[in-house]
Amino acid sequence: MKSIRTQMSIYLIIMAVIIFSGLGLIINRRLETLPSYIKLQYQEVTNARAAEISKELEGMLEQVRMTARSSVIMSMDMDEIKPYLLALSEGSKFRNMTISDIEGKAWTTYEMDIDISNQEQFERIVLNGEDEVISKSFQSPYIREAPIVTISHAVKQGGYTVGLVNGVVSTEFLNQIVRDINFKRTGYAWIVDESGNIISHPQIYITNESNIIDVVGDDIVKEQIVSTKEGVNIYTENFGENFLVIHSEIESSPGWIFLMSISYQEAYKEINEINRYLQYSFIAGLILVILYSNSLSKPIRSLKMVFEKASNGDFSVKADESIKNEIGEAGKSFNKMLGQIKDLTYRDPVTGLYNFNSFLLELPYKLRDYKYDSSEDIGYIAVVSVDDFKRVNSIGGYETGNVVLKTLSDSIKGFISQNELVARYFGDEIILLLFDKDIEDVHIRLSRLKNLCSYPFQIAGSEYRLKVSIGVGLLESENDPVEDVIHQGTIAKLKVKKFGGDGYEIYNEDINNAIKEEQEIENSLYHALENGEFHLLYQPIVNIKTNKIVGNEALLRWKNESWSNIPINYIVELMEKKGFIIEVGEWILNEACRQTKYWQDSNMGKLKISVNISPIQLEDPDFMIKVENALKNTGLNPNYLELEITESSAMTNVKDKLEKIKGLKEMGIRISIDDFGTGYSSLSYLTQLPIDTLKIDRSFIKDMLSDSSSKAITSTIITMSKSLNISTTAEGVETEEHFYALKAMGCDKIQGYLVSKPLRPELIESLIKSITGNQ
Ligand code: C2E
Ligand code: CA
Ligand code: CA
């Protein structure tokens, strides 16, 4: 397959050749007539010059004729003739004049007696009886300087020749005439006689002893010249240059030929020039064609290059849109398409931020630029994670969750500068590359970032106030592998999360140790169940009116040689993360039911048991079966089992939860909502769920007496629950004041240190026994 460029070039060259040869043909036709036209012109010029010389000779002949016929000359009285001839010759073009008798004895105006009896003109006039003669050029024995030609006429008395008058013309004189005739740069005139002997030539080295052959060097040319009246011939001069020679017979001469020589190059200069122009314009045309085809196909080629680069994964390319034709349009479409591909490849569709992959791709460039700029700055990577993002999703659904993330991303986008980077990391996490002057500025920047993220915003009428955990890894040395720094940021973030979120932390070794510790705890937890390291404590729940223990909440404890004093909610969280909680939760359920059934069977009264159910357990599709089995295995009546689920776990996937909760209710099991008030849901949400108990979160109880709003919330929850026929349990009741205040508000049950801390089962037994009439 030929490239478009080659095809176009071939096409255009063919076109050009056709056009040029057409043009050339027309011009050539005209050119062909041109040389003969030029020849004709030269011939005319030559003829005219020959005629001029002829006229000149004619004039001189006339003068000699007139002289010969004058009475002074005709008298042949030398005394009178001498002064007369002297006077005549002085004013003439003749070199000198001569008068001769029929013996050949002559007198010249040199005032010298000479003998011309052996000269041509004497012979022809006296012996042959001719009237007038122009002689061939010859060397006069009396005049040394140059060859001469004589123009002679007979002097007659009574019809008889008595002498002759000669006008002597020096060839120097003729030379003068031909020398004056020059045309153009190389052209010159010369004269030869009938047999080709040179009479006159502007070049001095060519004398009358030279012959035409010495000049034209070619017999054929010589023949052509001497045998025709006029014509144009070509010969090669001594220097190898071609000359055009045009000849014309001089009429009134004795067979003389006038010649004009001109360099062939010069003679045909015009034609050659036109020819050259044609050649030049043809070459220029070709070059233009090639350039044009090049420039036509260039955009296509560059578009092709862009395609190739893009298909090799280089999305930084851009097709030229500025070309005002289909190629420009194609470029535009391509750029648009590439933009979409880029977005799909580089951007996270939810937030519009870069995805993590592009973050990693861009990072080296940003780092290079920053290091180039000012090596003093601190570069760092921040991992921002929304605290409890699951809650956002659970309240508004995933779509709202996405809008929240998008809103957050938009405000973070405005937070960073051009040389920095932001991208979506994983899930609810955003990753940033930031630069600041010093560590103080880093702190200022991070708390600003934290505040920015927690700035409240509205989505579909609901207000959201996020909290974020920010972990930071510092890019301390150029050689820090970026992955490590990102990992450090993640670890630092985990630490913030561990301590309740809503903060930032810059990574250091201690954090790493803490995280390592977490890893080790996780490892230990892995075998905790099979090693029998778990047990349950029970915290009594008391009816506020009767002051009697009506049930217990089962609370998990972990006993391990290496790990002690770790808060159980931390352990639970870890197990949730690892998924252990499903298995451990099943064990808890069985153990709590078993213990309660045991208590019921040993006359401890009809105690209820509250079991905490992790959201992860509730999501487990086998959860219902596991509950059923626990009841079946232990023989506990379902009416005595209460499952505590947190607000958020009830509110995520509401449809599925509703099904499950309804199923549990149908089995006779009771449902309570744990830590009520800390989540985002309102009571009205809960009316959708068939629940039995609300457990008012410890934080409200704790502040109830000092903080009016906590008190208001507590009392509202109690009042509304009553109207909805839901019972209330206050958590974390530590003092009698709390007890009485809650009693006054109409709260149903209390739980807390006022009654008892969580206890081992045997201590529960003695506690119950100690409260008379509890059984
Ligand atoms: P929770 O369900 O709200 O449990 C009540 C927590 O409040 C218990 O902490 C209890 O010791 C504590 N508490 C009770 N009365 C008072 C009081 O008067 N003052 C104060 N300051 N605290 C009081 P614990 O046992 O450390 O449990 C913490 C959390 O761990 C639990 O909160 C629950 O979310 C989780 N958890 C404990 N055991 C289990 C379990 O078996 N399964 C699940 N899924 N989670 C559990
Ligand atoms: Ca609980
Ligand atoms: Ca609670």
Side-chain angles (χ1 to χ4, degrees):
M1 192 196 74
K2 287 195 186 89
S3 74
I4 291 183
R5 179 194 182 187
T6 323
Q7 284 183 35
M8 210 137 67
S9 303
I10 291 171
Y11 171 74
L12 284 170
I13 289 170
I14 290 171
M15 289 288 290
V17 166
I18 291 169
I19 291 170
F20 273 106
S21 30
L23 263 177
L25 216 70
I26 294 167
I27 292 167
N28 242 346
R29 280 259 162 84
R30 313 227 61 176
L31 275 182
E32 269 168 21
T33 60
L34 209 57
S36 53
Y37 173 73
I38 286 174
K39 276 183 196 169
L40 206 68
Q41 277 205 320
Y42 283 138
Q43 189 67 66
E44 270 170 21
V45 170
T46 309
N47 290 352
R49 287 298 160 101
E52 270 170 38
I53 293 167
S54 171
K55 239 191 201 149
E56 188 86 27
L57 285 174
E58 195 84 51
M60 291 167 102
L61 191 60
E62 182 64 23
Q63 206 184 343
V64 174
R65 197 182 291 143
M66 299 287 286
T67 310
R69 287 179 185 159
S70 71
S71 52
V72 178
I73 295 296
M74 283 191 11
S75 72
M76 284 302 283
D77 178 349
M78 289 306 278
D79 290 338
E80 280 187 47
I81 288 174
K82 280 181 183 174
Y84 175 69
L85 212 53
L86 258 176
L88 264 185
S89 85
E90 223 146 81
S92 75
K93 286 175 179 166
F94 296 115
R95 194 183 175 284
N96 61 299
M97 290 184 96
T98 322
I99 178 83
S100 163
D101 64 13
I102 47 167
E103 308 275 288
K105 285 194 197 103
W107 180 85
T108 99
T109 46
Y110 280 142
E111 304 203 54
M112 223 171 107
D113 292 320
I114 55 169
D115 182 0
I116 62 161
S117 59
N118 58 350
Q119 290 185 2
E120 184 197 353
Q121 75 277 23
F122 176 82
E123 274 168 33
R124 281 173 61 187
I125 288 174
V126 176
L127 304 180
N128 299 356
E130 286 177 47
D131 274 350
E132 41 188 47
V133 169
I134 297 177
S135 74
K136 289 175 182 152
S137 72
F138 62 97
Q139 192 68 51
S140 157
Y142 307 105
I143 304 158
R144 286 269 145 231
E145 41 194 282
I148 55 164
V149 170
T150 64
I151 300 174
S152 313
H153 200 280
V155 180
K156 291 198 170 179
Q157 285 174 359
Y160 294 100
T161 300
V162 292
L164 58 152
V165 172
N166 305 299
V168 178
V169 180
S170 154
T171 50
E172 193 49 44
F173 168 74
L174 286 171
N175 280 342
Q176 200 56 52
I177 295 175
V178 299
R179 228 175 258 141
D180 287 346
I181 303 171
N182 50 30
F183 54 98
K184 304 210 168 153
R185 201 170 43 77
T186 56
Y188 63 89
W190 45 306
I191 299 170
V192 298
D193 68 16
E194 57 193 346
S195 43
N197 297 315
I198 289 180
I199 296 170
S200 165
H201 196 284
Q203 282 150 15
I204 350 153
Y205 58 89
I206 294 168
T207 65
N208 68 321
E209 275 149 34
S210 306
N211 189 272
I212 187 166
I213 198 81
D214 300 327
V215 178
V216 301
D218 184 342
D219 276 323
I220 301 167
V221 177
K222 178 194 166 178
E223 252 333 284
Q224 279 286 325
I225 292 171
V226 295
S227 62
T228 54
K229 260 177 81 81
E230 58 172 56
V232 182
N233 290 286
I234 298 172
Y235 67 92
T236 308
E237 271 205 351
N238 298 342
F239 304 110
E241 195 180 356
N242 279 342
F243 267 73
L244 207 61
V245 59
I246 309 109
H247 71 274
S248 183
E249 206 181 76
I250 302 170
E251 232 157 83
S252 47
S253 70
W256 292 358
I257 299 160
F258 176 75
L259 302 118
M260 291 224 288
S261 286
I262 181 166
S263 118
Y264 187 86
Q265 281 289 321
E266 195 172 0
Y268 291 109
K269 202 174 155 200
E270 282 89 351
I271 295 176
N272 287 338
E273 257 167 27
I274 292 171
N275 259 327
R276 210 170 312 129
Y277 285 145
L278 267 179
Q279 282 167 11
Y280 285 163
S281 63
F282 182 72
I283 289 165
L286 269 187
I287 290 170
L288 278 178
V289 161
I290 289 163
L291 286 179
Y292 179 63
S293 73
N294 234 348
S295 79
L296 266 186
S297 63
K298 195 182 158 206
I300 299 178
R301 276 178 291 133
S302 63
L303 196 64
K304 181 184 161 237
M305 226 145 78
V306 166
F307 287 173
E308 270 171 5
K309 277 189 183 163
S311 65
N312 285 335
D314 178 2
F315 291 167
S316 66
V317 292
K318 195 164 188 280
D320 190 353
E321 294 184 7
S322 66
I323 306 160
K324 298 248 178 310
N325 59 22
E326 291 85 342
I327 297 169
E329 293 296 314
K332 218 176 271 176
S333 309
F334 173 77
N335 285 343
K336 204 167 147 194
M337 190 179 75
L338 193 66
Q340 282 164 354
I341 294 173
K342 238 185 318 230
D343 280 353
L344 283 177
T345 322
Y346 287 158
R347 301 241 170 229
D348 165 56
V350 172
T351 58
L353 298 178
Y354 275 143
N355 56 32
F356 182 53
N357 209 24
S358 6
F359 180 82
L360 290 179
L361 286 175
E362 278 289 313
L363 199 79
Y365 297 103
K366 297 284 182 189
L367 285 180
R368 192 192 55 198
D369 290 349
Y370 131 80
K371 279 189 179 122
Y372 177 76
D373 266 10
S374 54
S375 48
E376 308 238 310
D377 287 8
I378 296 180
Y380 55 106
I381 287 175
V383 177
V384 178
S385 170
V386 180
D387 292 339
D388 214 356
F389 186 70
K390 272 181 243 144
R391 181 167 288 172
V392 179
N393 271 337
S394 70
I395 296 166
Y398 280 104
E399 267 134 58
T400 309
N402 285 349
V403 179
V404 168
L405 272 183
K406 170 96 174 75
T407 313
L408 181 70
S409 305
D410 286 348
S411 54
I412 291 181
K413 248 193 253 174
F415 174 81
I416 65 161
S417 64
Q418 195 120 43
N419 60 339
E420 298 175 327
L421 264 182
V422 57
R424 183 167 181 187
Y425 196 23
F426 296 112
D428 57 22
E429 295 187 337
I430 288 168
I431 189 164
L432 297 111
L433 169 72
L434 300 170
F435 298 110
D436 273 300
K437 252 209 202 63
D438 49 35
I439 197 71
E440 247 172 67
D441 280 358
V442 173
H443 280 285
I444 293 170
R445 195 93 187 283
L446 287 172
S447 55
R448 266 182 50 213
L449 179 62
K450 187 180 90 70
N451 291 341
L452 177 88
C453 294
S454 53
Y455 197 79
F457 55 88
Q458 298 261 333
I459 290 171
S462 310
E463 188 182 84
Y464 290 84
R465 189 189 287 272
L466 300 179
K467 282 180 180 161
V468 292
S469 301
I470 304 171
V472 170
L474 296 179
L475 287 150
E476 271 163 306
S477 116
E478 223 168 295
N479 308 321
D480 272 358
V482 177
E483 294 74 23
D484 289 0
V485 180
I486 294 173
H487 185 63
Q488 291 175 358
T490 313
I491 288 171
K493 176 213 71 185
L494 282 178
K495 190 196 161 188
V496 179
K497 287 253 181 211
K498 205 161 100 179
F499 286 89
D502 193 21
Y504 71 85
E505 191 80 48
I506 298 173
Y507 173 85
N508 58 42
E509 267 310 301
D510 294 347
I511 294 180
N512 195 27
N513 293 338
I515 299 300
K516 258 194 207 142
E517 193 179 88
E518 185 181 292
Q519 194 61 50
E520 283 162 21
I521 294 173
E522 260 174 37
N523 293 343
S524 305
L525 272 174
Y526 190 74
H527 301 287
L529 193 62
E530 61 195 66
N531 291 348
E533 291 169 9
F534 290 121
H535 65 275
L536 296 180
L537 294 186
Y538 296 89
Q539 188 177 35
I541 299 170
V542 169
N543 183 315
I544 211 165
K545 280 187 199 133
T546 62
N547 272 343
K548 280 184 179 163
I549 297 173
V550 290
N552 295 292
E553 178 177 356
L555 293 161
L556 184 68
R557 293 297 178 265
W558 181 42
K559 213 171 167 192
N560 181 281
E561 279 176 10
S562 322
W563 310 103
S564 53
N565 294 328
I566 303 172
I568 192 67
N569 48 346
Y570 175 66
I571 301 290
V572 168
E573 222 173 89
L574 266 186
M575 291 198 296
E576 283 175 342
K577 238 186 344 198
K578 293 284 136 187
F580 304 161
I581 195 68
I582 292 188
E583 214 185 325
V584 175
E586 196 182 354
W587 176 83
I588 294 167
L589 200 61
N590 275 282
E591 175 58 17
C593 291
R594 189 201 56 77
Q595 182 64 56
T596 307
K597 174 70 175 149
Y598 169 78
W599 280 330
Q600 287 183 357
D601 288 349
S602 37
N603 285 328
M604 304 278 294
K606 292 292 174 196
L607 292 174
K608 293 194 180 101
I609 182 71
S610 296
V611 179
N612 292 290
I613 301 297
S614 150
I616 311 291
Q617 286 176 274
L618 209 56
E619 299 276 350
D620 176 13
D622 292 336
F623 180 64
M624 305 285 284
I625 298 165
K626 284 174 183 168
V627 177
E628 232 175 344
N629 284 342
L631 290 168
K632 232 188 258 164
N633 293 343
T634 58
L636 184 73
N637 183 327
N639 292 326
Y640 294 97
L641 175 63
E642 185 163 279
L643 301 182
E644 293 192 2
I645 57 179
T646 57
E647 215 177 321
S648 57
S649 83
M651 298 313 296
T652 29
N653 253 342
V654 179
K655 238 188 188 166
D656 173 53
K657 296 297 154 60
L658 190 64
E659 283 302 301
K660 275 189 177 158
I661 291 169
K662 270 186 184 159
L664 292 167
K665 288 290 294 176
E666 271 161 25
M667 285 161 63
I669 293 164
R670 300 169 63 88
I671 303 291
S672 74
I673 300 293
D674 205 356
D675 304 339
F676 188 76
T678 54
Y680 290 80
S681 61
S682 65
L683 261 176
S684 60
Y685 278 115
L686 289 176
T687 56
Q688 301 176 29
L689 298 172
I691 52 169
D692 301 283
T693 311
L694 283 185
K695 294 191 80 173
I696 306 168
D697 192 70
R698 210 162 65 216
S699 57
F700 296 106
I701 310 302
K702 198 179 101 204
D703 298 339
M704 195 176 76
L705 298 179
S706 54
D707 173 37
S708 58
S709 77
S710 290
K711 188 177 179 176
I713 291 169
T714 311
S715 109
T716 308
I717 294 173
I718 292 168
T719 316
M720 286 186 71
S721 299
K722 266 207 159 50
S723 71
L724 292 168
N725 221 7
I726 296 171
S727 97
T728 45
T729 304
E731 292 184 312
V733 179
E734 290 183 3
T735 64
E736 292 201 345
E737 284 92 330
H738 287 125
F739 177 83
Y740 289 114
L742 287 162
K743 193 174 184 175
M745 288 176 191
C747 182
D748 297 313
K749 285 167 271 181
I750 58 151
Q751 182 184 348
Y753 295 167
L754 179 67
V755 179
S756 166
K757 289 194 170 183
L759 301 172
R760 294 190 155 272
E762 49 281 13
L763 290 176
I764 288 286
E765 282 158 32
S766 32
L767 178 71
I768 288 174
K769 278 175 188 154
S770 71
I771 304 170
T772 45
N774 204 89
Q775 289 101 323

